[in-house]
Amino acid sequence: MNARLHTVPEQFDDPVQQREAATLGMWAFLATEILFFGVLFAGYTLCRVRFPDAFAAASRHTDMLLGTIETAVLLTSSCAVALSVREVQLGGRRLATALLALTAALGISFLVMHGFEYYAEYEEGLIPAIHYTQHGVYAHGIEIFYCLYYFITGFHSLHVTIGVVLLLVMAWRTWHRAYDADYHTPLELTALYWHLVDIVWIFVYPLIYLVGRAG
Amino acid sequence: MSTVELASPARSYLEEGYGLRSWLTTHDHKRIAVLYGIGITFFFFLGGLAAALIRWELVTPAGDLVSAETYNKAFTFHGVVMVWFFLIPSIPATLGNFLLPLMIGARDVAFPRLNLFSWYLYVVGGIFTLGCLLLGGVDTGWTFYTPFSTMFSNSHVLMAVVGVFIVGFSSIFTGLNFIVTVHTMRAPGMTWMRLPLFVWSMYAVALVMILATPVLAMTLSLIGLERLFGVGIFDPALGGDPVLFQHFFWFYSHPAVYIMILPAMGVVSELITHGARRRIFGYRFMVYAIIGIAVVGFLVWGHHMFVAGQSMYASIVFSILSFIIAVPSAIKVFNWTATLYKGDISFDAPMLYALGFVGLFMLGGLTGLFLAATALDVNLTDTYFVVAHFHYIMVGGAVMAYLGGIHYWWPKITGRLYSEAWARFAAILMFFGFNLTFFPQYILGWEGMPRRYHEYLPQFQVWNVLSSAGATILGVAYVLPLVYLAWSLRYGARAGANPWDATGLEWQTSSPPPPHNFEQVPVVHEGPYAYRR
Amino acid sequence: MTLPQASSFAPNVDHLFDTLLALCTLVVVGVFTVMIVFCVKYRRGTSAERTPARSHLGVELTWTLVPFVLFMGIFGWSVHLWIRLRTPPKDAQPIYVVAKQWMWKVQHPGGQREIDQLHVPVGQPIRLVMTSQDVIHSFYVPAFRVKQDVLPDRYTELWFTATQAGTYHLFCAEFCGTDHSRMRGEVVVMAPADYARWLQAHAGIGLAAQGAALFRRLGCSGCHDPQSGVHAPSLENLYGSTVPLSDGSQVLADERYLHDSILLPKKQVAAGYAPIMPSFEGRLGEEDVLALVAYLKTRGTQTEKPE
């Protein structure tokens, strides 16, 4: 595969039009993604208004240290993927591939850390319907918090997983010279997607981990 | 517009391949449109059968034809199928898929593979829905209100929810494709203000599809979780809020109404300009009205919940927004009427469908005002008044426009002419059958007959019998096009490139068009509907 | 129209309906006439003059603004009526309704119980306090032009003043399962004297007395009694008062607050008290809660006299 041999599909006039279409398509897709997460955040907000204390208490059960590390990991990975796009634009290949691999590795480590969190919560009996042993004052509200927690973080982790797969494919193709300074739309779009995954997490992090820890 | 008339084109898209494989692996937007057309027709008649069962049951006040459970499953199935497997994909996925690239002078949509994928999603969603029916059906109503759907119903809610969830993605991807296609693939000279109104309506619908459908998908997932694990945020027994479900559901489902009616408005604008051979009256206002409806459509969902336990002040806000969204609809009716002024009107079948649409849409729209008025809605909501109102919009409106569009573009799609006399007869029969079916339901609603009733009070019987009689006529009127259109496929006369002598890029290529639509990309020099100098 | 006007709202609602109906008929007739005239005059082949039309901004603005103004007028009228529909007068008599699949259970403050029937007097504002034991139902009396969804775990309210003696249909208007269409009943409106006789004939133990019995049986006084050693809020004069909560906000102690404090005591904890009250969710039916609420309202209420 060589970037210069990249053919434009029949429906497009030229590479410029194709690139425009692909980019706009990605942005439109990201808009739907925001709506996907938007509903969950709306649901979260309303439930939190109903059970403010329970949500604060539940939030204190989460692992803030891991959550913070995860945030740092995702932010770093976003930076890495942005640098790799720049590297390809400047004609580089080795460094770009390495950066993409690094991004994917960071994504995987994010998932692993999340796995540890889920396991710890299982031990603690915080998984509604599967292993839930909370009693006492806020048991009810905490259950709702954890329902939303698993739904939101699970849905987000699904996005991370898809992103990691895409990044690995991009790394492979970059290494095999599929992209160069003229043509690298798929790489750019993957980076865009990865940034969205990152941005969503920026909202998840305070909502899940920091709620009960103010003051 | 460019006047490239193609005498004898190479091969049409229909002749590109004949095997099943050539259809099921096609990337051609026109073939995908035909595939959608087949699926939609199938589901339309399936949903129609459920409706027939409902109307037959309601001939007598006692619930004597089918059991209450069967009745509840019938109207649920009718709603689910008609909303998600017929109305929402109807015009966008068939006419839209076929015409959008043609109308803007493109060779295909921007993402042909994604387009085919969305058809497969539609089919898989459909299989789940049929599977749900075969397992025994679902009895929650198409609205899936909690906590009934999550904790109390013993039917196959999960299966139905999965089907709808999947078909939602089909709708999202279609919307995505349309937005990108309209933005990036217009022919040279095809500026935004030269787009036919049908394209504008597709664009607006695509926006609504990609922004509203995700909300439905997530809401249905939450329902699924709640049913599977008994945990969630909607069930009051678990501390949740069932009204929150209604908010989420209508946040999608009200815009969904505009997914159904905006394309119909687009089609009718094409049909009326052609029938009257005039430019559309007030093109700019029509465009603004389409966009206005799409945007404000996101802000009126609460008018479904005036008596649902929503705060009094929220209801007032939703009420005023609902009145405001009626203004662009009114503008459209006036503009269509004014387009007739000084026209050169012929009453071909598509024009009859279009005129029928305007009449029925107006009745449906005006009764919407009664429901937007909070004090009247208290009495009318959840009665047959509402049923009549939305059928006037969705069946009288969207289905009439869909069929009108199918007739108008039939020669372009198939290369054949249908029987004009039969088509006119069917259109007129449909108009009368429709009014006889649904007008009595307005009266029933005002007199207090609640909807979704398996048994009803004897005093309501007269109107119910009239309605069922109308439904029978309507049923016949719907079968007619199936017959004569199918007949035309084999025996109809061959259509030329432009049998209607109409404007628009789609008429400037051969009928049926070649695989990539145009031998040569047309160049556009003027706005749409240039019927008279 | 065969629908009787049996409440004080009915004539007002009908007035609005008729006005809107007349307006809409006018529009329909007008637009249809114009369409038909155009269709006939400009049908193909006639010799009507067909010079192209000129600029038409004025026309467009006219038919944008005129409907807008009319719609706002209707909106204003409707909202005026709506606010009245949603604001029960202070002297409205409460009656309690519990909906369940598929029946209506009614409890009067005097202890009278009915199923699928509701007896009310003419001329007295009635406030229904309603809740559901399972799914969402909707209380609908067409003759009164009122409807209100009935939600599980929450009180919704509906008020009306019946104006005409007679028997009227009561429907469930929100789909609630298999026998939804059989969840019907009747509202019997009686002259005040007849109503008083009916109340007497069906008198049971007053609702508040039932609540008092429950209050003792459940051992509520063990904590809420002023002499009790447990630090629990006093229930005297609670109903209708403003309660400061532990999170700093304030809440009006209405029926919903009392209901939630019994079933979900942790939801709103009174300021200065530990959240130690056990939840009675699952141990009490909605009817029992209503009895307790009725009893609590008699403990020195600020807005209503003890019943």
Side-chain angles (χ1 to χ4, degrees), chain B residues 271-287:
Chain B
L271 302 191
I272 286 200
T273 47
H274 160 259
R277 306 204 68 74
R278 272 190 74 76
R279 274 176 209 275
I280 193 86
F281 190 89
Y283 174 84
R284 266 173 195 275
F285 270 79
M286 291 298 256
V287 171

Side-chain angles (χ1 to χ4, degrees), chain B residues 139 152 277 282 285 307 335 342-345 362 374 378-379 381-382 446-448 452-455 532, chain C residues 1-3 14 32 42 44 50-51 60 63 78 135 140 147-149 172-175 180-182:
Chain B
D139 68 349
F152 290 88
R277 306 204 68 74
F285 270 79
V307 302
N335 278 345
K342 293 193 171 178
D344 184 12
I345 305 169
M362 192 158 68
T374 38
V378 167
N379 188 39
T381 188
D382 280 323
W446 174 243
E447 291 192 346
R452 296 172 168 179
Y453 260 32
H454 170 236
E455 297 178 351
R532 277 192 297 123
Chain C
M1 294 286 157
T2 54
L3 194 62
D14 286 4
F32 276 14
Y42 299 110
R44 186 153 303 166
R50 290 185 168 95
T51 49
E60 293 270 5
W63 68 42
S78 151
V135 302
Y140 176 32
K147 184 185 289 137
Q148 172 63 49
D149 282 9
C172 174
E174 184 65 64
F175 179 67
H180 166 56
S181 67
R182 288 192 183 155

Side-chain angles (χ1 to χ4, degrees), chain C residues 268-292:
Chain C
Q268 294 169 311
V269 178
Y273 295 94
I276 50 172
M277 176 163 155
S279 165
F280 285 82
E281 202 178 3
R283 296 172 58 191
L284 287 175
E286 290 293 351
E287 289 157 80
D288 295 333
V289 180
L290 280 171
L292 280 172

Side-chain angles (χ1 to χ4, degrees), chain B residues 363-435:
Chain B
L363 284 176
L366 286 171
T367 47
L369 294 176
F370 291 81
L371 298 170
T374 38
L376 295 179
D377 182 76
V378 167
N379 188 39
L380 296 173
T381 188
D382 280 323
T383 68
Y384 264 86
F385 194 90
V386 173
V387 176
H389 160 70
F390 71 71
H391 279 89
Y392 262 84
I393 300 288
M394 294 177 194
V395 185
V399 178
M400 286 297 260
Y402 171 69
L403 286 173
I406 288 287
H407 282 83
Y408 181 57
W409 284 292
W410 187 256
K412 182 54 62 185
I413 297 171
T414 64
R416 301 282 185 161
L417 297 175
Y418 53 81
S419 152
E420 181 64 30
W422 276 106
R424 287 185 192 179
F425 174 67
I428 292 167
L429 191 66
M430 213 172 279
F431 185 79
F432 281 106
F434 180 86
N435 278 306

Side-chain angles (χ1 to χ4, degrees), chain B residues 63 68-69 72 75-76 139-141 143 145-148 152 236-239 241-243 246 274-278 280-283 285 306-313 315-317 319-321 323-324 326-327 330-331 333-335 337-338 340-348 351 355 358-360 362-363 366-367 369-370 372-383 385 431 443 445-457 459-460 532-533, chain C residues 1-3 10 12-14 16-25 27-29 31-32 34-36 38-46 48-54 56-57 59-61 63-65 67-72 74-79 81-87 101-102 133-136 138 140-154 156 158 169-184 264 281:
Chain B
E69 224 170 298
N72 295 342
F75 73 67
T76 304
D139 68 349
T140 58
T143 45
Y145 269 21
T146 53
F148 182 67
F152 290 88
L238 305 169
D241 184 355
V243 179
Q246 296 178 25
H274 160 259
R277 306 204 68 74
R278 272 190 74 76
I280 193 86
F281 190 89
Y283 174 84
F285 270 79
F306 287 156
V307 302
Q310 164 178 277
S311 100
M312 179 174 87
Y313 300 101
S315 294
I316 291 174
V317 173
S319 171
I320 194 168
L321 288 167
F323 275 104
I324 287 173
V327 174
I331 293 176
V333 169
F334 295 140
N335 278 345
T337 310
L340 300 175
Y341 178 58
K342 293 193 171 178
D344 184 12
I345 305 169
S346 61
F347 299 96
D348 308 311
M351 184 63 169
L355 291 173
V358 176
L360 299 180
M362 192 158 68
L363 284 176
L366 286 171
T367 47
L369 294 176
F370 291 81
T374 38
L376 295 179
D377 182 76
V378 167
N379 188 39
L380 296 173
T381 188
D382 280 323
T383 68
F385 194 90
F431 185 79
I443 299 165
W446 174 243
E447 291 192 346
M449 177 166 164
R451 64 192 286 205
R452 296 172 168 179
Y453 260 32
H454 170 236
E455 297 178 351
Y456 56 89
L457 300 177
Q459 72 207 52
F460 297 132
R532 277 192 297 123
R533 30 268 131 213
Chain C
M1 294 286 157
T2 54
L3 194 62
N12 300 324
V13 170
D14 286 4
L16 176 58
F17 183 88
D18 293 341
T19 311
L20 192 51
L21 189 64
L23 198 68
C24 288
T25 314
V27 173
V28 169
V29 170
V31 174
F32 276 14
V34 171
M35 271 175 77
I36 290 167
F38 285 171
C39 279
V40 172
K41 189 171 174 197
Y42 299 110
R43 70 183 186 280
R44 186 153 303 166
T46 57
E49 186 229 316
R50 290 185 168 95
T51 49
R54 287 179 304 278
H56 33 59
L57 188 67
V59 186
E60 293 270 5
L61 284 176
W63 68 42
T64 306
L65 294 176
F68 179 76
V69 171
L70 280 176
F71 292 169
M72 287 305 106
I74 296 286
F75 166 77
W77 185 351
S78 151
V79 159
L81 198 52
W82 165 250
I83 292 175
R84 236 185 79 207
L85 268 162
R86 290 285 131 153
T87 321
Q101 284 177 326
W102 292 273
Q133 232 158 275
D134 36 50
V135 302
I136 300 176
S138 188
Y140 176 32
V141 184
F144 294 171
R145 313 287 188 276
V146 292
K147 184 185 289 137
Q148 172 63 49
D149 282 9
V150 181
L151 302 167
D153 255 33
R154 184 193 289 195
T156 51
L158 173 70
H169 294 290
L170 156 65
F171 297 116
C172 174
E174 184 65 64
F175 179 67
C176 59
T178 311
D179 279 339
H180 166 56
S181 67
R182 288 192 183 155
M183 192 166 161
R184 302 192 298 240
L264 303 164
E281 202 178 3

